Amino acid sequence: MSLAKLIKAWQIVHMPRLASTMIRHRVAGAVVRALFPDAIIHSFEPLPGARARFEAVFAGDTRTILHPFAIGTETKTATFYIADRDDSSSLFELGSGQTEAFGVHLTDTTQVQVRPLE
């Protein structure tokens, strides 16, 4: 499905809550808020720097809630793989395909809190 079709589908379906693990950039945040002006947005970000950028983008937006942890199946501390591109950082190790296709490389690892959605 193309991005345009996906956005159109989102606009048709009323979504009162939107959970995101990927809203780390001003453009993505602005798009989500524009598409869902009345939605309560829950975003999950375990990295302090990315949280600070998120908070700057959504300052004053009382319908956006930032949770300072990653989403997983159980409560624990886990290794988070930090890539040279924010949108590629993850609880999962980078695969060789990411490097080959997109030039993404591992830059660091850190320990983060993980919690299940409840």
Side-chain angles (χ1 to χ4, degrees), residues 34-115:
L35 289 174
F36 307 105
D38 297 324
I40 297 172
I41 299 171
H42 289 268
S43 189
F44 303 85
E45 179 53 67
L47 299 178
R51 279 198 311 267
R53 289 189 299 275
F54 180 97
E55 290 169 340
V57 169
F58 286 100
D61 185 340
T62 60
R63 299 182 66 79
T64 299
I65 301 160
L66 177 60
H67 303 275
F69 52 85
I71 299 171
T73 58
E74 61 185 336
T75 299
K76 64 182 181 178
T77 300
T79 300
F80 200 82
Y81 299 90
I82 302 171
D84 54 0
R85 290 179 42 179
D86 261 359
D87 60 353
S88 295
S89 297
S90 174
L91 289 170
F92 301 104
E93 290 187 59
L94 295 176
S96 60
Q98 288 172 285
T99 300
E100 292 171 23
F102 306 109
V104 177
H105 296 91
L106 182 68
T107 60
D108 202 359
T109 61
T110 191
Q111 296 296 301
V112 300
Q113 292 300 306
V114 179
R115 297 184 191 163

